[in-house]
Amino acid sequence: MSNNINLKRGLDIPISGEAAQKIKKAVSPDVVAVKPTDFRGLLPKLLVKEGDKVLAGTPVLADKKSPDIVFASPVSGTVETVVRGEKRKLLEVRIKADKTQEYVDFGVRKVKELSADEIKEALLKSGLWPALIQRPYGVLASPEIRPKAIFVSAFSTAPLAADTDYVLRDEFANIQTGIDALTKLTDGGVHVSFDSRNYSGTPFHKLENVIQHTFTGKHPAGNVGIQIHHICPIKKGDTVWTVSLLMLAAIGKLFNTGRYDMTRKIAVTGPKAIDPSYVTGLPGMAVADLKEFYDNSAEELRFISGDVLTGTSVGEAGFLGFYDNQVTIIKEGREYEMLGWAKPLRSGLFSASRTYFSWLTPKKKYDMDTNLHGGVRAFLMNDVYGKVLPMDIFPVYLTKACIAGDIDKMEKYGIYEVLEEDLALCEYVCPSKIDIQAIISDGISLMMKEMA
Amino acid sequence: MNGLRKLTDKIKPAFEKGGKLGFLHSTFDAFETFLFVPDTVTKRGAHVRDSVDLKRILIIVVLALLPAMLFGMWNVGYQHSNAFGLGWGFWNMFWYGLVKVIPLYLVSYIVGLGIEFISAQIKGHEVSEGYLVSGMLIPLIVPVDVPLWMLAIAVAFAVILGKEVFGGTGMNIWNPALLCRAFLFFSYPSKMSGDTVWTGGLDRFLSEGTAYATNGHGLVDAFSGATPLAYKSVEGLQQAGTSFMDLFIGTVPGSVGETSVIAILIGAVILIWTGVASWKIMLSSVAGALAIGYLGFACGATDLPGYYQLVLGGFAFGTVFMATDPVTSAQTETGKWIYGFLVGALTVTVRIFNPGYVEGMMLAILLMNTFAPLIDYYVIEGSIRRREKKVKVA
């Protein structure tokens, strides 16, 4: 507790539509989807065909590269369609849910009595292995590796993110079980980072068997990548795993109940969400199941699985991502604004810079939309990015190295330490409107290809 | 407003690829995005974006330059009135300055933006806004009587060889406005230095015996026309009738916009307050100038106390508006301190030790532009090495 890490740089984006802490409904899904696109670099192998009966926990997909890693159906039902995209790329496996849910029984087990290999096997078989993300690169964890350490962020600073304490309050015992299990997979221990301002307020500071850290700061202080950077930076050759509390709860449930139970509280948020609040649902559930939360009869809306900085636009016909417990609904900003850039005031819009006057109203929340607010240009300003990135790296140099595809420079400027999400704020504030996350993503793909 | 939008939408198809006027696509796009913030939405990455864009940032710089520009216009008239003993009032002076300075702006923008538009057209890019600021700067850093054709050539040189060959705004190594001035300085030194170029109408009067708005007057007896930089001591300045306050307010001969420290300070406040320009560069440049200024004073190399260096010549203008150009200055925060300090130090070094080129600001900034990437390189290498050590210890 003594060594609180105080991050001065960052930005909390004041977007409206925070979810009220109440459960508006329990979504009993009709059709859910398992999406290979939720996982970086996954080459999926289909294990079922249309018409097959599955239970909650039945493997649907496997990883071609390491076939032990499987992805399970979150519901019991019938495989309805297999959706493919260009070049027959597998996009979704849609499963029609039954009225009553049946689970594959993996058996209740006492974690304390299990060996590391037994835990690994249980996670792999149940489809919970993908909960573990491996850095560098943010890929699926490799079962052959014993990571340097495992990192967990116990708070989220992302815009409108679901309140960790609220959504996981009842899962304390499961999370503890999950941590006990994962501790056996590493020698470096499980590091859990807390928000120092809420340290005594959160029930999770009572978690045992963990190494605790506290952070103070604006977004992205809650990003696990930022936390690792300050706790124990990733060097070349290091491998660490990260896992979210949400997934720890699911892992705990696996051992405590013997079920692959992915039920979670999901925050429905955003300026265009009607009465933003929480629902209970499953990963892979359809956005259309949230009908009472939006009205797109008059305007075009964007449905994001995740938050506005890093989420995926899935569309009204889309499905919630595997790792997400948030849906954000915002307006598509397809509107022209006459001489917008020249207006002295633009009171409806937020800017982190002082070139507008939104700094005068620090408490105000804004109904943000998806307009780019400008044209794409070359990098011009150089000091705006560092102000929102509490890491000891040079974001513009890293981005330029990625554009150039220069492996040596990418290594030098810290590609091992970042994922797209860590630089999302740099992208948000960029006056040149450069898609920094996409550039970093391409850079990571190149690294994976070249260094494999 | 809606009518204008409808009109734009109506003529837009003609300018799209394959349209009748498709070859003017970039030009149309530039005008359209000037009038309207476009309707483009985010496709990849963050779904919402900050409302600031380059147009906004650059318009802030233009705004910050306005006080210097307006004062410069007045001062052009004031110097002219003094030289010829016209005893003009405020509006008369301002009007004279307006008539003299507007043509400089026309040439600067028509030539510069023309080249920007054409090259964007050839490359099929969008027109970048960068020249809005360069075009605003150029007339402020030249003598008011510079022949327009020379200015046109210099602008073309600066934009083509200083910017477009490197890939346009954001890719250039040297500040385009300063490059333009350097081109003029070395190609046409007689129009860029000496005692006769700084006062509007003087050149023509000396060669033709008459000039616009001399009203039949000749030069007053006490007229010298030299910029205060020519004097090497406080006494010298006082004999020429120039006090510290004159230099601070800016009622002295010089390039159009560089004389008034007050007007420039107003701009500096705007730039620093909005965060558009780096206060680190400005502060360290002042520190560098003071350091060398006082060192020179202490060693007897100059009779001017260090603080005089801050109000003389183009130092203030260069420090606030030119050295802080985010593209050509140092990119790292530590680098900015070093870069700024060296700009200030070099400027004063040139002033003190080189009687040939008394104004060192232009060359100091261009030289430091050249070395900025080197500074950044060592700052970054140092940072990476420090981190590696830290990680090893931990």
Side-chain angles (χ1 to χ4, degrees):
Chain A
M1 259 321 289
S2 56
N3 54 346
N4 175 49
I5 295 163
N6 193 3
L7 304 178
K8 297 221 169 58
R9 292 175 284 172
L11 171 71
D12 287 329
I13 294 177
I15 182 170
S16 63
E18 195 180 338
Q21 297 197 354
K22 60 176 183 195
I23 299 285
K24 201 166 170 190
K25 73 166 188 175
V27 177
S28 45
D30 178 34
V31 175
V32 300
V34 178
K35 298 187 287 180
T37 46
D38 287 344
F39 312 95
R40 187 202 299 278
L42 171 67
L43 276 178
K45 184 178 160 213
L46 198 58
L47 299 178
V48 291
K49 46 184 197 301
E50 287 172 17
D52 279 4
K53 289 267 174 209
V54 292
L55 301 180
T58 307
V60 180
L61 300 170
D63 184 353
K64 260 187 193 153
K65 281 176 279 180
S66 51
D68 286 344
I69 303 177
V70 297
F71 304 83
S73 163
V75 293
S76 64
T78 320
V79 177
E80 197 181 58
T81 37
V82 174
V83 182
R84 288 180 186 274
E86 276 174 44
K87 295 185 188 164
R88 292 189 44 79
K89 185 185 173 192
L90 188 56
L91 296 180
E92 288 164 4
V93 179
R94 290 189 191 167
I95 300 159
K96 180 140 178 82
D98 293 337
K99 284 271 165 337
T100 51
Q101 290 296 302
E102 287 173 65
Y103 294 86
V104 177
D105 185 16
F106 294 101
V108 179
R109 301 167 85 175
K110 284 228 158 56
V111 167
K112 289 220 168 78
E113 294 157 12
L114 297 178
S115 70
D117 282 342
E118 284 170 315
I119 285 170
K120 254 186 206 175
E121 201 200 320
L123 291 178
L124 283 167
K125 254 170 68 182
S126 64
L128 272 170
W129 186 263
L132 301 170
I133 296 175
Q134 179 171 310
R135 291 194 180 220
Y137 311 144
V139 291
L140 293 170
S142 159
E144 289 90 47
I145 285 176
R146 204 167 164 84
K148 197 168 94 171
I150 296 175
F151 293 89
V152 184
S153 172
F155 67 108
S156 177
T157 47
L160 305 176
D163 184 87
T164 310
D165 295 346
Y166 175 70
V167 295
L168 294 169
R169 198 188 287 153
D170 307 329
E171 304 280 354
F172 185 88
N174 288 328
I175 290 173
Q176 184 64 61
T177 311
I179 284 173
D180 293 342
L182 293 190
T183 320
K184 301 200 171 182
L185 301 185
T186 174
D187 302 320
V190 177
H191 296 253
V192 183
S193 300
F194 298 92
D195 184 353
S196 66
R197 287 161 295 189
N198 187 35
Y199 178 75
S200 49
T202 175
F204 301 110
H205 75 271
K206 297 200 183 97
L207 285 173
E208 287 164 13
N209 222 349
V210 299
I211 303 154
Q212 296 194 352
H213 305 273
T214 59
F215 284 82
T216 316
K218 295 174 175 169
H219 190 57
N223 279 13
V224 68
I226 306 291
Q227 296 163 358
I228 298 171
H229 178 84
H230 289 278
I231 296 167
C232 174
I234 303 170
K235 288 177 304 203
K236 187 177 183 179
D238 284 351
T239 316
V240 302
W241 290 351
T242 69
V243 61
S244 63
L245 279 186
L246 189 68
M247 289 297 168
L248 277 174
I251 291 171
K253 259 184 260 180
L254 172 72
F255 292 106
N256 289 343
T257 66
R259 286 174 169 182
Y260 177 78
D261 180 359
M262 298 294 272
T263 316
R264 55 179 76 161
K265 285 182 191 146
I266 295 152
V268 185
T269 63
K272 288 292 162 185
I274 299 163
D275 185 20
S277 47
Y278 290 81
V279 298
T280 53
L282 290 168
M285 95 185 179
V287 170
D289 286 338
L290 301 171
K291 252 201 173 79
E292 57 270 53
F293 283 99
Y294 61 86
D295 173 18
N296 57 352
S297 53
E299 54 196 358
E300 194 187 350
L301 299 180
R302 181 176 294 193
F303 300 89
I304 301 162
S305 171
D307 65 75
V308 285
L309 288 178
T310 61
T312 317
S313 169
V314 292
E316 196 188 1
F319 301 88
L320 187 71
F322 181 77
Y323 300 102
D324 299 328
N325 65 345
Q326 180 186 9
V327 174
T328 312
I329 305 171
I330 57 176
K331 196 179 104 171
E332 290 284 8
R334 289 187 210 280
E335 275 152 18
Y336 290 96
E337 186 187 4
M338 187 161 175
L339 289 175
W341 56 275
K343 284 180 191 165
L345 293 168
R346 235 170 151 188
S347 54
L349 295 176
F350 171 75
S351 175
S353 77
R354 285 200 169 184
T355 53
Y356 292 99
F357 291 94
S358 56
W359 55 272
L360 288 171
T361 50
K363 294 244 166 75
K364 189 172 167 181
K365 302 280 181 197
Y366 296 82
D367 293 346
M368 297 183 181
D369 62 28
T370 63
N371 193 290
L372 200 55
H373 300 302
V376 177
R377 298 288 184 269
F379 275 115
L380 199 97
M381 303 300 284
N382 49 52
D383 57 350
V384 296
Y385 307 97
K387 285 181 188 160
V388 294
L389 181 68
M391 287 175 107
D392 203 2
I393 65 169
F394 297 92
V396 177
Y397 284 82
L398 176 60
T399 311
K400 285 184 178 171
C402 289
I403 295 174
D406 185 332
I407 303 275
D408 290 340
K409 288 217 170 110
M410 281 154 72
E411 247 180 11
K412 208 166 90 179
Y413 296 142
I415 191 77
Y416 296 125
E417 297 207 48
V418 298
L419 288 187
E420 295 88 336
E421 58 183 35
D422 301 323
L423 280 96
L425 272 174
C426 297
E427 179 175 74
Y428 172 81
V429 298
C430 179
S432 299
K433 310 294 173 190
I434 293 169
D435 287 334
I436 294 175
Q437 289 191 87
I439 292 168
I440 298 291
S441 179
D442 292 346
I444 290 176
S445 304
L446 183 71
M447 290 297 291
M448 287 166 61
K449 213 173 99 197
E450 297 289 320
M451 307 301 276
Chain B
M1 171 174 161
N2 272 335
L4 191 59
R5 184 64 242 167
K6 270 181 200 146
L7 178 74
T8 317
D9 283 337
K10 207 175 126 195
I11 60 172
K12 198 172 183 172
F15 289 96
E16 287 193 343
K17 262 195 196 114
K20 247 192 312 194
L21 298 166
F23 63 96
L24 284 176
H25 177 73
S26 293
T27 311
F28 178 81
D29 179 79
F31 281 109
E32 192 196 1
T33 57
F34 183 86
L35 276 176
F36 300 97
V37 174
D39 65 342
T40 22
V41 293
T42 54
K43 286 199 189 70
R44 314 192 288 176
H47 300 277
V48 296
R49 300 293 172 95
D50 200 287
S51 53
V52 71
D53 65 349
L54 280 193
K55 282 194 176 69
R56 181 67 176 190
I57 286 174
L58 296 179
I59 204 73
I60 297 276
V61 183
V62 170
L63 197 70
L65 279 164
L66 282 182
M69 183 190 83
L70 293 175
F71 184 91
M73 287 180 174
W74 172 81
N75 191 38
V76 166
Y78 176 77
Q79 296 303 331
H80 179 80
S81 166
N82 274 5
F84 293 94
L86 298 175
W88 275 347
F90 174 81
W91 287 110
N92 229 333
M93 294 177 188
F94 189 77
W95 173 249
Y96 179 82
L98 195 72
V99 170
K100 292 296 267 186
V101 175
I102 289 288
L104 299 180
Y105 270 105
L106 286 178
V107 168
S108 162
Y109 274 120
I110 291 172
V111 175
L113 282 180
I115 294 170
E116 286 264 3
F117 273 73
I118 292 168
S119 58
Q121 207 75 72
I122 292 170
K123 292 187 217 157
H125 287 178
E126 286 185 35
V127 179
S128 183
E129 298 83 359
Y131 193 77
L132 284 181
V133 169
S134 303
M136 184 79 185
L137 283 168
I138 287 171
L140 299 183
I141 56 172
V142 295
V144 65
D145 263 353
V146 66
L148 296 180
W149 64 270
M150 287 183 192
L151 187 66
I153 293 175
V155 167
F157 169 83
V159 175
I160 296 172
L161 286 176
K163 203 154 106 173
E164 294 307 332
V165 293
F166 293 105
T169 305
M171 315 286 186
N172 46 312
I173 299 173
W174 298 287
N175 185 315
L178 274 180
L179 215 53
C180 171
R181 192 181 198 278
F183 181 87
L184 283 171
F185 187 82
F186 289 112
S187 307
Y188 310 106
S190 66
K191 299 287 178 191
M192 289 298 289
S193 52
D195 290 348
T196 61
V197 301
W198 307 107
T199 309
L202 186 61
D203 240 11
R204 189 168 149 211
F205 180 81
L206 291 178
S207 59
E208 297 174 21
T210 177
Y212 168 70
T214 52
N215 301 355
H217 288 244
L219 280 174
V220 296
D221 292 341
F223 178 77
S224 95
T227 70
L229 268 174
Y231 306 102
K232 294 287 181 190
S233 66
V234 179
E235 291 73 42
L237 281 170
Q238 264 159 7
Q239 273 163 24
T242 308
S243 67
F244 181 81
M245 272 325 273
D246 290 337
L247 291 166
F248 190 67
I249 297 168
T251 54
V252 293
S255 296
V256 176
E258 69 172 17
T259 58
S260 171
V261 179
I262 291 186
I264 292 163
L265 278 178
I266 297 173
V269 168
I270 296 174
L271 290 182
I272 293 174
W273 184 249
T274 53
V276 167
S278 164
W279 60 271
K280 290 174 189 167
I281 292 177
M282 295 188 205
L283 189 65
S284 58
S285 171
V286 167
L290 283 178
I292 300 295
Y294 273 109
L295 193 71
F297 186 61
C299 309
T302 173
D303 294 328
L304 281 175
Y307 66 95
Y308 262 86
Q309 303 291 354
L310 305 183
V311 294
L312 279 171
F315 175 81
F317 193 86
T319 293
V320 172
F321 295 111
M322 319 287 278
T324 55
D325 171 4
V327 178
T328 55
S329 64
Q331 313 276 306
T332 52
E333 299 306 302
T334 320
K336 282 175 187 167
W337 289 110
I338 302 169
Y339 164 90
F341 187 88
L342 288 176
V343 166
L346 269 175
T347 304
V348 177
T349 311
V350 172
R351 278 185 188 174
I352 293 178
F353 295 106
N354 189 339
Y357 300 128
V358 279
E359 181 48 291
M361 198 62 195
M362 171 181 81
L363 293 174
I365 296 177
L366 285 174
L367 190 68
M368 289 319 296
N369 282 171
T370 315
F371 284 107
L374 189 71
I375 298 174
D376 285 333
Y377 176 80
Y378 280 107
V379 167
I380 291 173
E381 289 293 314
S383 155
I384 289 169
R385 224 168 301 135
R386 257 198 317 282
R387 273 208 61 207
E388 272 169 6
K389 261 189 211 147
K390 216 165 77 186
V391 171
K392 261 183 210 146
V393 172

Short mmCIF file of all heavy atoms in Angstrom, two decimals, chain B residues 18 39 87 127 135 182 298 328:
data_model
loop_
_atom_site.label_atom_id
_atom_site.label_comp_id
_atom_site.label_asym_id
_atom_site.label_seq_id
_atom_site.Cartn_x
_atom_site.Cartn_y
_atom_site.Cartn_z
N GLY B 18 -13.77 11.40 -62.06
CA GLY B 18 -14.57 11.07 -63.22
C GLY B 18 -15.55 12.17 -63.59
O GLY B 18 -16.14 12.16 -64.66
N ASP B 39 -18.41 15.77 -43.02
CA ASP B 39 -19.34 14.84 -42.36
C ASP B 39 -18.70 13.48 -42.15
O ASP B 39 -19.39 12.51 -41.86
CB ASP B 39 -20.62 14.70 -43.18
CG ASP B 39 -20.35 14.05 -44.53
OD1 ASP B 39 -19.16 14.04 -44.95
OD2 ASP B 39 -21.28 13.56 -45.17
N GLY B 87 3.96 64.48 -40.15
CA GLY B 87 3.09 64.80 -39.02
C GLY B 87 1.71 64.19 -39.13
O GLY B 87 0.70 64.82 -38.79
N VAL B 127 -5.66 19.47 -49.51
CA VAL B 127 -4.79 20.62 -49.31
C VAL B 127 -4.60 20.81 -47.81
O VAL B 127 -5.56 20.86 -47.05
CB VAL B 127 -5.40 21.89 -49.92
CG1 VAL B 127 -4.48 23.08 -49.68
CG2 VAL B 127 -5.63 21.69 -51.40
N GLY B 135 2.03 31.83 -44.68
CA GLY B 135 1.67 32.99 -45.49
C GLY B 135 1.41 34.22 -44.66
O GLY B 135 1.63 35.35 -45.09
N ALA B 182 15.40 33.81 -45.76
CA ALA B 182 16.81 33.53 -46.02
C ALA B 182 17.11 33.63 -47.51
O ALA B 182 18.14 34.16 -47.92
CB ALA B 182 17.16 32.13 -45.50
N ALA B 298 29.59 41.26 -19.86
CA ALA B 298 30.58 41.17 -18.80
C ALA B 298 32.00 41.15 -19.37
O ALA B 298 32.92 41.73 -18.81
CB ALA B 298 30.33 39.91 -17.96
N THR B 328 9.27 21.90 -37.16
CA THR B 328 10.71 22.01 -37.37
C THR B 328 11.49 22.16 -36.07
O THR B 328 12.71 22.13 -36.08
CB THR B 328 11.02 23.22 -38.26
OG1 THR B 328 10.43 24.38 -37.67
CG2 THR B 328 10.43 23.03 -39.63
#
